[in-house]
Structure formats: C-alpha cells, structure tokens
Amino acid sequence: MTEIKHENDGHKGAFNLYVDGKKAGSMTYTGAGDDKFIIDHTEVDEAYNGQGLAKKLVFAGAEYARENGKKIIPLCTYAKATFQKNKEIQDVLA
C-alpha cells in the first residue's frame, strides 16, 4: 500500500511517499510568493524504481496546487518532464 504525506512549514514543503510504512521517496518544494511553488527535487529509493512512484508524487503536488489555487514552477528535471508528458496536470503550470 502506498501513502503520501504532505509536510509544509509555510515556505518549504515536501510530499513524502511511503510503501507499507517505509519511506520510499519524496518531492520537495519551495514557496514562490503567495500563489506559486517551485518543485526543486524528486527522489525515489532505488529499491522502488519502475513503480511509477515519482509520478505519483508530482501528481500529488498538482492536486495540492489545484486545491489551493497555486501554480507550479517545475525546476526539478523529473517534474518538468512529467508535466510535459501529462497534459492533465498542465493547468497548474506557472
């Protein structure tokens, strides 16, 4: 079972992904004003490669942006590529 937990200290945040209770990956971001945030890093533990977990993290970020009226600037190369390949989340790009 996978679970994503969102942490945010007001300026920086992370979406941490857990598989069966073990942390398997995370996507970190930094706020950019009141209405944007920058995805700066996406990482999944090698043991979980090939399971689409990094994509789940980017999609969780997009969902969070939609729910909170924010836009995303994907500086992380993985996140940038994921946005380019998935039109359904491009509405939240800054």
Side-chain angles (χ1 to χ4, degrees):
M1 182 185 121
T2 61
E3 178 184 18
I4 295 176
K5 295 181 181 173
H6 180 214
E7 298 170 15
N8 183 322
D9 70 5
H11 182 63
K12 287 185 173 281
F15 290 87
N16 295 308
L17 189 139
Y18 297 84
V19 175
D20 298 326
K22 292 181 183 168
K23 187 173 177 183
S26 68
M27 180 181 76
T28 58
Y29 66 89
T30 304
D34 292 336
D35 61 349
K36 294 185 193 82
F37 63 93
I38 297 164
I39 296 175
D40 42 40
H41 188 67
T42 306
E43 182 175 5
V44 171
D45 189 290
E46 281 185 25
Y48 299 96
N49 281 354
Q51 298 180 33
L53 300 183
K55 182 178 177 181
K56 285 185 180 186
L57 288 166
V58 174
F59 272 67
E63 186 72 24
Y64 168 76
R66 262 189 218 112
E67 291 171 358
N68 292 277
K70 295 185 183 287
K71 295 290 185 182
I72 296 174
I73 302 164
L75 290 188
C76 159
T77 53
Y78 177 82
K80 194 173 204 169
T82 301
F83 274 100
Q84 287 173 345
K85 291 178 196 164
N86 296 277
K87 293 195 185 321
E88 67 270 30
I89 58 172
Q90 292 177 0
D91 61 300
V92 297
L93 283 174

